[in-house]
Amino acid sequence: MAIQIGGTTVIDNSRNVIAGLGASMTVGSGAFVTGSSIGLGYTDTTGRDAGVGTATGTLVYNETDYAVQVYDGTQWISGLQTPFSATGGTKDTTSRSGYIVHTFTSPGSFVVSGAPNTGGEYLVIAGGGGGGATSGGGGGAGGYRTSTSFTLNAGTYTIQVGSGGNVGSPPGATGQGGQGTPSFITHPGITSITSTGGGGGACSAPNGEKQDGGSGGSGGGASGYRRPDATFIGAALGSGNTPPTSPPQGNDGGSSGPLNNNSAACGGGGGAGGVGGNAPLDGGGAGGNGSPSSITGTDVTRGGGGGGVGFPNAGGAAGPGGGGTGGGPGGNGTNGTANTGGGGGGAYPASGGNGGSGIVIIAYPTA
């Protein structure tokens, strides 16, 4: 048997290629032979396993794996592959030796093409919680999740960067600080990687209104106020790591402290690396510590909790990693730092701190 194209024999009955002479032949969908090249056509892994013969030496281009593959009589072996590449966010090729880093400070898309990269890493931090109003606990840090074993497959990853929660607005039920919004990475091939917004700080007001600290990535700090008539008005701290993740994405807020009459002592918001500080006598508890990460090539601490209100003593210190300072006689509470997920400082008497926005960072090796 022989195959002829344009009157020229190109394959004889011994299956030897005789000549192309510039002619061409199309074989099935996508496969072709020309005088200067051969096209294998294409299939995916499902099509390859279901509809392609498994004679030793069979060649296919597998678009699932982005690779030319040959059947060796036992299994499919990958040869030539389309190299991995990615776009999205702020792409940095120099800050970390041997890695490329993509930083998202606002929502966007991370688009991957080519062969999978099994050495990916991520850091996903949600927005921090706002400080509580009047006598307010510190806001909890946004949930903090990280991994050094993240396989990046071809496709589009949706990136959400959470905003910080607003400081509470007295009086009454609106006095609790607002919860931060989540940050996440989603893709059809993975389970969503979601960090929960930080819980808002608790509040208690002279006329008796109170609201417990919010739960979230890290929990908001408790609130405690004693009126001049010695009536105590207190609200509980919020829980961290809610909903639970492993490893935990955050910590609980701190508790209120001992009080003289006409004084406030409110707990600090929980941080990614530690619980919120319990309030001392008539003072504010410090925000919980954040956690360090060197995913960008530089060690940076993020996810600190906000400090709680103190009166007549000072408000609580900001949690290392972007937390805000708690309000007190020396000043109002301050905002959590943007793109750290820091919790806002508690309000005194009505001005306090908003939570800081979150961040998403993805890194992968260049070789």
Side-chain angles (χ1 to χ4, degrees):
M1 181 189 73
I3 297 176
Q4 292 185 330
I5 298 176
T8 300
T9 300
V10 294
I11 302 177
D12 67 9
N13 57 7
S14 64
R15 295 184 295 179
N16 294 319
V17 176
I18 305 302
L21 300 179
S24 64
M25 175 177 67
T26 299
V27 182
S29 176
F32 62 87
V33 178
T34 74
S36 59
S37 63
I38 297 175
L40 297 178
Y42 57 89
T43 185
D44 57 17
T45 298
T46 300
R48 181 201 68 186
D49 293 344
V52 175
T54 52
T56 300
T58 300
L59 285 170
V60 299
Y61 176 73
N62 186 336
E63 61 180 352
T64 302
D65 296 335
Y66 294 90
V68 174
Q69 297 176 330
V70 61
Y71 192 73
D72 70 354
T74 303
Q75 60 184 339
W76 291 95
I77 306 293
S78 291
L80 299 175
Q81 285 189 308
T82 304
F84 175 92
S85 64
T87 60
T90 300
K91 186 174 182 177
D92 189 332
T93 61
T94 61
S95 66
R96 181 179 175 188
S97 179
Y99 281 77
I100 294 176
V101 180
H102 296 251
T103 300
F104 293 83
T105 56
S106 60
S109 296
F110 179 67
V111 182
V112 173
S113 60
N117 189 318
T118 59
E121 303 178 6
Y122 65 76
L123 176 64
V124 180
I125 303 177
T134 310
S135 296
Y144 184 110
R145 300 189 66 185
T146 188
S147 174
T148 57
S149 57
F150 183 34
T151 297
L152 296 168
N153 293 304
T156 298
Y157 294 74
T158 299
I159 308 297
Q160 172 65 40
V161 177
S163 57
N166 293 328
V167 66
S169 300
T174 59
Q176 182 192 75
Q179 183 171 8
T181 57
S183 293
F184 57 76
I185 302 172
T186 61
H187 177 269
I190 64 171
T191 300
S192 178
I193 302 161
T194 301
S195 294
T196 307
C203 68
S204 53
N207 54 2
E209 295 108 335
K210 62 182 181 178
Q211 192 171 8
D212 293 342
S215 297
S218 284
S223 175
Y225 172 71
R226 193 176 295 278
R227 298 195 315 200
D229 65 4
T231 300
F232 173 73
I233 304 167
L237 59 87
S239 299
N241 196 33
T242 305
T245 64
S246 181
Q249 60 178 308
N251 292 278
D252 295 347
S255 64
S256 59
L259 296 162
N260 291 309
N261 290 352
N262 194 28
S263 60
C266 304
V275 297
N278 296 332
L281 176 66
D282 297 345
N289 291 339
S291 288
S293 170
S294 56
I295 190 171
T296 62
T298 301
D299 196 50
V300 178
T301 297
R302 303 177 181 87
V309 164
F311 179 81
N313 297 326
T325 302
N332 295 320
T334 61
N335 297 335
T337 303
N339 303 128
T340 68
Y348 170 82
S351 297
N354 300 324
S357 56
I359 195 168
V360 173
I361 303 174
I362 298 173
Y364 50 86
T366 55

